[in-house]
Amino acid sequence: MSTRPPIHVLRLGHRRERDKRITSHLGLTARAFGADCFLLSGEADPNVLETLGSVTERFGGDFEARYEKRPLGWLRRFANEDAGDGTPGVAIHLTMYGRPWGEVIPMLRRDRPIAIVVGGAKVPGEVYGICQHNVGIGNQPHSEVAALAVFLRDLLPSGTSPVEFPGGEIDVVPSASNKNVKHLGLNEDE
Ligand code: SAM
């Protein structure tokens, strides 16, 4: 876990059959772009959580992924009472109806835990009221994966490799010409 306050991504309304790939991609994007925790809600889906756990085991980092049975209760508590340290956090709902992300991001508090909420099936109206910020990545419909990636990239910009992933079994060595991974301390060109 990094030293800044944690960033959680809450996935609302997962449907096991219809959303299995996109929800896995959402979790992988959360991890790769610097979030610390992924909360799955809607239909329980151990496969999504196993995928995220297995990627973290192989590629490193402290990313946590778990199922949240009562997402709105969790969110209300996070935004109004206790974001994990006894005081409220900052809850941000990504929605095409929200305010432009470029205007909102500079105003966000960076000293409090953040929860980023993305929808799946119909988003309950009360989510707009629970979250302190409703943010649009543009005001056209697109994808929760794209919205999350753009938001995290602009929330946590820092050079070309924004996130560290220590402790994995595999390290990817950036290469302009081939696939190069370090595995258990050995350099391997595959
Ligand atoms: N309602 C559709 C359905 O039944 O499948 C899905 C809506 S959309 C693909 C899912 C989520 O993507 C939204 O709840 C929102 O979090 C995110 N999203 C889509 N377009 C967005 C935008 N322009 N800005 C921010 N978030 C967006």
Side-chain angles (χ1 to χ4, degrees):
M1 197 80 73
S2 61
T3 50
R4 60 163 167 69
I7 297 175
H8 309 263
V9 173
L10 172 61
R11 184 346 165 227
L12 296 176
H14 173 69
R15 296 156 291 189
R16 207 169 18 239
E17 270 319 303
R18 184 174 161 175
D19 296 333
K20 57 188 168 196
R21 274 177 61 79
I22 197 157
T23 299
S24 296
H25 289 181
L26 188 69
L28 292 173
T29 300
R31 173 184 173 274
F33 283 77
D36 302 282
C37 177
F38 184 74
L39 292 101
L40 176 70
S41 71
E43 292 180 7
D45 193 342
N47 291 335
V48 168
L49 301 180
E50 277 162 25
T51 297
L52 298 176
S54 136
V55 168
T56 295
E57 206 173 298
R58 285 186 292 137
F59 289 89
D62 293 324
F63 189 70
E64 184 196 342
R66 67 175 179 83
Y67 181 67
E68 175 54 58
K69 194 171 178 186
R70 296 184 182 82
L72 296 194
W74 181 90
L75 188 60
R76 252 185 237 107
R77 187 171 161 76
F78 183 95
N80 298 324
E81 295 165 31
D82 181 8
D85 59 0
T87 52
V90 180
I92 298 153
H93 172 213
L94 296 184
T95 165
M96 62 180 279
Y97 305 106
R99 291 182 54 204
W101 84 106
E103 284 179 16
V104 177
I105 282 180
M107 299 166 22
L108 292 176
R109 288 187 65 162
R110 305 304 177 109
D111 60 343
R112 301 294 309 135
I114 285 177
I116 303 168
V117 183
V118 297
K122 194 170 165 33
V123 173
E126 55 194 306
V127 170
Y128 288 82
I130 299 172
C131 292
Q132 293 100 327
H133 304 277
N134 292 287
V135 176
I137 309 297
N139 296 110
Q140 299 298 314
H142 50 81
S143 150
E144 52 269 56
V145 178
L148 181 66
V150 169
F151 185 80
L152 282 173
R153 178 61 186 82
D154 285 359
L155 182 71
L156 300 171
S158 66
T160 52
S161 180
V163 189
E164 301 286 327
F165 296 96
E169 297 163 4
I170 298 169
D171 239 358
V172 176
V173 182
S175 164
S177 57
N178 62 344
K179 177 178 169 183
N180 188 2
V181 297
K182 250 196 287 182
H183 188 67
L184 295 175
L186 299 173
N187 273 315
E188 293 175 7
D189 291 327
E190 292 182 345

